[in-house]
Amino acid sequence: MEVEGTASGSTLMIMKKIVEQGWRPVLVVILLLILWEASSRLFAIPAWLLPSPLTIMEEGLSSWSNYAHHLVSTTKLSIVGFVIGTSIGLLIAVLLHLMPHVRQAFYPLLILSQNIPIIVLAPLLIIWFGFGVLPKLFIITLVCFFPVAVAALDGFRQTNAEMKHYMYMAGASKRQVFSKLELPHALPTVFSGLKISATYSVMGAVISEWLGANKGIGVYMTLAQSSFRTDRVFVAIFFIMLLCLLFFSFIIALERFCIKGQPGQEAKS
Amino acid sequence: MSELKVSEVSKSFGEKKVLQSVSFSVKEGEFVSLLGPSGSGKSTLFHLIGGLYTPDEGELYLGGENINGKRGKISYTPQSPSLFPWRTVLDNVVLGEELHAKPNKERASAMLERAGLADYVNAYPHQLSGGMRQRAAFVRSLLSPQPFICLDEPFSALDEFTRLDMQKWLLSIWEENRKSVLFVTHNIEEAIYLSERVLVLSSNPATVKREFTIPFERPRREELVLTEEFLDWKKQIYHELRSEA
C-alpha cells in the first residue's frame, strides 16, 4: 500500500472518503424533505400546524436580519458555557483522581448532581442570580461538566497497567506518572466526553434562554411559539441542529489534531 | 559503581512464601541470567530490586548503597515493550532519561540508528513489528541514566527466528556499552548464549539453587549454540532445573 506522506494528501483522502460515504445520508434527508413537502401540499396541512420545508426555508432566508443577533447571542453563550463547564469537569476529574479518598467521598455527589432536572433548578437559580448571564452559564456548566468529568475519570483509571508498572520501575514520581502517562492515555476518552458536552452545551443554552432572557434562539423560539409562527420554530430548530453539528465537528477536528499515534487513524500497511 | 548485591532476601505474600533467602551478586559490566520455571518468583525479585516492594528480610545493595524499597535505581525493560502509543519512537526511548534529566535527543537518534531503527525514529509504535518494539524498549533502558539494567523475559513474546536475531543484536549492542545486566528468562539456550553466569532458581519458594559460570569468550558467534560444549552446558542446566521435580 502506498504511504500518504503529506498533510494535503491525507486531507484529500479524508475529503474523498466523505464524498464516497456521505451521499447516502444526504440522499435520505433529501427524500424525506420531498416526502414532507409533497404531503403538506397534498393534504393541505395548515402552516401553523406543520409548515412545508419550502415555507420554512423562505422564512429562514427572508427574516435572517430578524434573528441573526439571537443566533450570535446563543452561540456566544454556548461557547463560553462549554469552555467553563468542560474546564470545571476536567479539573474535578484530575482532583478526584489524584485524591482517591476525596473521590470516594464525592463521586456519589457527582452522580446525584445529574439526577436533578435542569428545569427544576431554574426557579432557584433565577431567585439567586436573577435573569443575567450567571444563571445561564450555571445551567450550561451543570450539563457540560459531567460527561467530561466521568470520561476523564474513567480514562485515568483505565491506564495500561504495564505502562504504569514501567513508569514506577523507572523511578517516575506520582506527578510524572500523571502528566506523562495517565493524562495522555486518557485523552481519547476525554474527547468522547467533550463531544457529548459540545452538543449538551447548545441544548443547555437554549433551555436557559427559555427560562428568561431578552435575546437568544430560545427567546426567538418562545416568541414564535406564542404567535403561532411554527415556521420560525422550525427555523430555530434548524439552527440549533446546525450549531450542535458545528461544535461536534470542531471537537472531532481538535481530536485529530491532539491524538497521535493511535492505530486505525491512518491506513496500516 | 554498579555492582548489585542481593543478600539473604526473603519475601512472602500473605501465607505464601515466594522468595527464601535469595543471595547473589552481579558485578560491574557483567551479564547474569536468572533462570527458573514460570511462577518461580522471578518477577517478585525484579519488583524488589526495582523498589516496588520491600523485602521482609535481607538487604539489596547497588554500588554499595542500600536500595531496599528505593525506586528508580535501575533501568528496566519489561516483558511487554510498554511503549507509549502517542509518542514517536524517539520520544519513547528518551522517556527513562526524561524522568531524571533533560533528554539528549541526538544521542538517542544515534543509538536508534545503531539499533537498526534509523527509518523509524519518527514513527509511532503501532507501525513497528514486535521485534522492533522490543528493540526500542531496550534502547530506552540503555539511554536511562542508571548504570544497571534489568530485563524481564524481553523476548518471550517473540517467534523463534526473531528471538535469535534479537539475542544476537542484544549482545552486539551490549558489548559496546557494557552496562551490568540482570536478565530473567525461562529459556536455557538464551541464558547460556547471553550470559557470563547463569543462576538457576528453584520454585516454591524461590531460592538460588546453583550457579553456572559460562566460560565462552566474547564476542560470541551465532554458531556457538550448535557446538558440543554448548549442548553439554544445556544438558547440565536442564538436569539441574528438573532435578527437584
Side-chain angles (χ1 to χ4, degrees), chain A residues 169-246:
Chain A
M169 285 292 268
S173 63
K174 208 176 165 187
R175 204 162 124 197
Q176 284 173 326
V177 171
F178 180 73
S179 66
K180 292 186 194 298
L181 175 60
E182 286 171 329
L183 191 61
H185 195 278
L187 266 191
T189 345
V190 169
F191 269 102
S192 305
L194 283 179
K195 283 179 210 162
I196 300 175
S197 289
T199 51
Y200 278 15
S201 72
V202 180
M203 186 194 74
V206 173
I207 291 180
S208 73
E209 285 164 356
W210 278 347
L211 301 171
N214 47 28
K215 54 181 193 268
I217 298 181
V219 176
Y220 178 73
M221 261 182 125
T222 323
L223 290 175
Q225 179 211 2
S226 54
S227 56
F228 282 93
R229 289 299 301 265
T230 318
D231 50 347
R232 286 186 182 168
V233 176
F234 273 101
V235 170
I237 291 175
F238 171 77
F239 277 105
I240 289 168
M241 281 166 70
L242 192 73
L243 212 54
C244 281
L245 208 66
L246 281 177

Side-chain angles (χ1 to χ4, degrees), chain B residues 180-191:
Chain B
S180 317
V181 170
L182 181 63
F183 189 93
V184 162
T185 179
H186 52 237
N187 185 311
I188 302 175
E189 275 187 34
E190 185 168 273

Side-chain angles (χ1 to χ4, degrees), chain A:
Chain A
M1 193 181 281
E2 226 175 296
V3 178
E4 287 286 349
T6 59
S8 62
S10 60
T11 321
L12 214 74
M13 256 171 55
I14 293 166
M15 293 287 280
K16 208 175 146 198
K17 217 169 130 187
I18 290 174
V19 172
E20 271 171 8
Q21 294 176 353
W23 65 271
R24 279 174 235 262
V26 170
L27 191 73
V28 171
V29 170
I30 290 174
L31 277 175
L32 281 175
L33 285 177
I34 289 174
L35 200 72
W36 177 0
E37 181 71 38
S39 49
S40 60
R41 278 164 195 249
L42 201 68
F43 304 119
I45 301 171
W48 60 266
L49 196 62
L50 181 69
S52 79
L54 280 179
T55 326
I56 295 166
M57 215 159 79
E58 224 181 280
E59 173 62 26
L61 289 175
S62 62
S63 56
W64 164 258
S65 55
N66 286 339
Y67 62 78
H69 68 286
H70 290 301
L71 205 60
V72 173
S73 156
T74 305
T75 310
K76 271 192 205 154
L77 188 63
S78 310
I79 291 174
V80 175
F82 174 74
V83 171
I84 295 176
T86 51
S87 307
I88 290 177
L90 265 181
L91 197 73
I92 287 178
V94 171
L95 288 178
L96 293 194
H97 175 70
L98 294 181
M99 295 180 280
H101 291 294
V102 181
R103 179 200 165 100
Q104 271 174 8
F106 278 91
Y107 198 72
L109 213 71
L110 208 65
I111 293 167
L112 221 67
S113 78
Q114 295 305 300
N115 292 345
I116 316 164
I118 298 294
I119 302 284
V120 174
L121 265 188
L124 268 183
L125 291 175
I126 288 168
I127 291 169
W128 291 336
F129 304 113
F131 289 95
V133 189
L134 206 61
K136 298 187 181 64
L137 288 180
F138 197 93
I139 286 175
I140 304 174
T141 301
L142 206 60
V143 293
C144 275
F145 93 95
F146 186 72
V148 176
V150 171
L153 269 175
D154 281 349
F156 294 148
R157 223 168 25 144
Q158 285 161 7
T159 304
N160 184 302
E162 279 164 347
M163 292 179 190
K164 220 163 155 178
H165 182 218
Y166 169 78
M167 285 298 268
Y168 282 128
M169 285 292 268
S173 63
K174 208 176 165 187
R175 204 162 124 197
Q176 284 173 326
V177 171
F178 180 73
S179 66
K180 292 186 194 298
L181 175 60
E182 286 171 329
L183 191 61
H185 195 278
L187 266 191
T189 345
V190 169
F191 269 102
S192 305
L194 283 179
K195 283 179 210 162
I196 300 175
S197 289
T199 51
Y200 278 15
S201 72
V202 180
M203 186 194 74
V206 173
I207 291 180
S208 73
E209 285 164 356
W210 278 347
L211 301 171
N214 47 28
K215 54 181 193 268
I217 298 181
V219 176
Y220 178 73
M221 261 182 125
T222 323
L223 290 175
Q225 179 211 2
S226 54
S227 56
F228 282 93
R229 289 299 301 265
T230 318
D231 50 347
R232 286 186 182 168
V233 176
F234 273 101
V235 170
I237 291 175
F238 171 77
F239 277 105
I240 289 168
M241 281 166 70
L242 192 73
L243 212 54
C244 281
L245 208 66
L246 281 177
F247 276 26
F248 198 79
S249 321
F250 174 74
I251 302 293
I252 288 181
L254 201 67
E255 186 181 23
R256 272 181 203 277
F257 178 75
C258 287
I259 297 176
K260 297 202 168 75
Q262 305 288 350
Q265 271 203 350
E266 53 210 274
K268 274 189 119 182
S269 53

Side-chain angles (χ1 to χ4, degrees), chain B residues 39-57:
Chain B
S40 58
K42 291 173 295 193
S43 295
T44 307
L45 194 55
F46 259 19
H47 291 162
L48 286 168
I49 297 170
L52 294 194
Y53 307 145
T54 30
D56 297 340
E57 285 164 42

Side-chain angles (χ1 to χ4, degrees), chain B residues 6-213:
Chain B
V6 175
S7 147
E8 299 287 325
V9 164
S10 301
K11 178 79 185 170
S12 311
F13 291 106
E15 291 289 292
K16 190 168 157 50
K17 193 146 201 170
V18 184
L19 298 176
Q20 167 81 50
S21 38
V22 174
S23 297
F24 65 89
S25 67
V26 180
K27 295 191 195 69
E28 177 100 40
E30 201 181 18
F31 198 122
V32 174
S33 286
L34 271 175
L35 189 64
S38 299
S40 58
K42 291 173 295 193
S43 295
T44 307
L45 194 55
F46 259 19
H47 291 162
L48 286 168
I49 297 170
L52 294 194
Y53 307 145
T54 30
D56 297 340
E57 285 164 42
E59 308 293 334
L60 298 149
Y61 295 98
L62 187 70
E65 185 194 349
N66 190 311
I67 55 160
N68 282 19
K70 282 191 189 161
R71 286 177 184 173
K73 293 293 175 186
I74 52 146
S75 99
Y76 171 65
T77 305
Q79 204 163 346
S80 70
S82 303
L83 300 173
F84 293 3
W86 55 88
R87 283 178 173 234
T88 61
V89 171
L90 180 63
D91 286 337
N92 258 299
V93 296
V94 295
L95 178 64
E97 199 181 354
E98 195 182 304
L99 296 175
H100 305 279
K102 202 175 171 295
N104 180 344
K105 293 207 173 176
E106 278 154 40
R107 188 169 72 119
S109 298
M111 186 81 93
L112 280 172
E113 220 159 286
R114 263 186 297 158
L117 293 169
D119 295 340
Y120 295 92
V121 171
N122 292 313
Y124 289 97
H126 75 270
Q127 295 166 314
L128 270 59
S129 71
M132 287 196 266
R133 270 179 230 164
Q134 205 51 268
R135 260 187 271 170
F138 183 64
V139 170
R140 181 175 60 187
S141 309
L142 281 177
L143 289 171
S144 299
Q146 303 89 341
F148 192 92
I149 299 184
C150 286
L151 291 117
D152 188 1
E153 302 189 13
F155 308 144
S156 59
L158 301 175
D159 65 83
E160 187 67 19
F161 294 109
T162 315
R163 175 198 279 265
L164 290 177
D165 282 344
M166 290 295 292
Q167 290 166 359
K168 221 166 70 184
W169 173 84
L170 177 66
L171 277 189
S172 69
I173 212 127
W174 175 72
E175 265 155 22
E176 290 174 25
N177 296 274
R178 282 279 179 165
K179 285 189 173 188
S180 317
V181 170
L182 181 63
F183 189 93
V184 162
T185 179
H186 52 237
N187 185 311
I188 302 175
E189 275 187 34
E190 185 168 273
I192 304 171
Y193 180 58
L194 294 175
S195 341
E196 253 86 48
R197 281 184 296 138
V198 176
L199 307 169
V200 175
L201 282 182
S202 63
S203 50
N204 291 328
T207 183
V208 178
K209 222 164 141 190
R210 213 176 135 184
E211 182 183 316
F212 294 89
T213 305

